[in-house]
Amino acid sequence: MLHDVLDLLMCPHCGDDLLLQDGTVRCPAGHSHDIAKQGYVSLLRGAAPFTGDTTAMVEARVAFLGAGHFDPITRALVAAAAPGPGCVVDLGAGTGHYLAAVLDAFPGREGVALDVSKHALRRAAKAHPLVGAVVSDVWQPLPVRSGVAGLVINVFAPRNAVELHRVLHPEGALVVVAPTGDHLGELVSALDLLTVDADKQEGIDDRLGEHFAVLARETVEFRMSLSHKDVEALVGMGPSAFHGRGAVVGLTEPVAVTGSVTVTRYAPR
């Protein structure tokens, strides 16, 4: 799929066009980027300060999302999407699970999956026939041309307001999914997981506010009945995987867990 999205991308070093040649992506100035055998390309400008999700985290995410536990989030994201002119960019795409759902709902659009984790992009490159997967750091200039995105989605991932605004078409939209303070609350207390700030959504709005205006917001809450294996996957796929936590085996099975997120649609100012 990389060949079909190259016109949406640009060289991370000089901003020039990219061409596909002999298994590499290169610009006229000679900056060259090898295409991995799994189908993604790295367009990092220098080294990223972190490497993102590990192989174990990716496998946990594939198992958990594949079981449908977060389907209410996927449905709410698709309902809020309504892309403007252009492609769909997923910033912090992970395995491409949510991007694939949006592309299925709006046929014919190309998708660009951006993530710093090569392990995740191995999955994203195969998540949908119209997805091109690109290693990129959210805090560097994104290797995406200005104004080409009719929609940017951002699910449980960092946001660079300036770059998001730049890549969006003036008639496009940004849809952000973020956890509320109640998200996975039962596990936070039982397993000593990382907590969500009570004012997280307010902070997101503040950081985006110079470049984006809130159009609509929905709070999505749902209950999950999870096995111990499901809980292990849920904990293992997120940031708490890097921190110590309590023993899942001590929880009564099945485990009742609350999912709670905000889904916010923003328009570029």
Side-chain angles (χ1 to χ4, degrees):
M1 184 54 204
L2 276 172
H3 180 273
D4 295 314
V5 302
L6 279 184
D7 62 328
L8 306 173
L9 305 175
M10 63 183 184
C11 176
H13 301 288
C14 64
D16 210 337
D17 294 339
L18 293 173
L19 301 172
L20 191 63
Q21 183 179 15
D22 299 328
T24 64
V25 171
R26 62 179 65 230
C27 72
H31 299 120
S32 179
H33 310 271
D34 292 336
I35 300 173
K37 64 181 180 181
Q38 296 90 349
Y40 67 85
V41 65
S42 177
L43 295 181
L44 285 172
R45 187 171 68 179
F50 60 98
T51 56
D53 293 347
T54 65
T55 299
M57 293 173 70
V58 170
E59 294 306 316
R61 182 168 295 134
V62 168
F64 189 83
L65 296 180
H69 299 301
F70 274 6
D71 281 359
I73 297 175
T74 304
R75 290 193 292 268
L77 171 66
V78 169
C87 68
V88 180
V89 171
D90 188 347
L91 185 60
T95 62
H97 175 85
Y98 297 105
L99 177 57
V102 171
L103 295 178
D104 281 342
F106 300 95
R109 291 179 186 263
E110 297 156 327
V112 179
L114 302 177
D115 203 283
V116 75
S117 169
K118 296 178 180 180
H119 307 293
L121 290 178
R122 291 169 184 169
R123 293 281 187 167
K126 299 175 176 60
H128 191 281
L130 295 179
V131 167
V134 180
V135 180
S136 175
D137 180 2
V138 64
W139 304 118
Q140 294 180 8
L142 301 177
V144 178
R145 294 204 167 279
S146 298
V148 299
L151 176 71
V152 175
I153 62 174
N154 177 261
V155 184
F156 302 132
R159 294 152 296 276
N160 182 333
V162 174
E163 283 297 287
L164 289 172
H165 189 271
R166 181 185 63 79
V167 304
L168 262 177
H169 187 280
E171 298 174 23
L174 165 66
V175 178
V176 175
V177 177
T180 74
D182 295 327
H183 188 56
L184 313 184
E186 298 87 349
L187 298 182
V188 169
S189 57
L191 302 180
D192 193 27
L193 305 185
L194 298 176
T195 59
V196 176
D197 293 339
D199 59 351
K200 181 178 178 65
Q201 185 60 62
E202 181 180 346
I204 293 173
D205 290 346
D206 287 345
R207 288 186 288 274
L208 292 175
E210 181 179 352
H211 300 282
F212 293 93
V214 175
L215 289 181
R217 173 169 295 135
E218 177 187 9
T219 299
V220 180
E221 294 191 343
F222 54 100
R223 297 280 283 177
M224 297 174 282
S225 181
L226 305 179
S227 67
H228 284 174
K229 185 176 181 180
D230 292 331
V231 173
E232 288 280 10
L234 176 56
V235 175
M237 75 184 199
S240 289
F242 294 113
H243 301 268
R245 58 183 187 269
V248 171
V249 70
L251 300 177
T252 301
E253 195 174 26
V255 186
V257 180
T258 300
S260 181
V261 302
T262 54
V263 180
T264 307
R265 181 180 173 88
Y266 298 87
R269 294 190 187 277

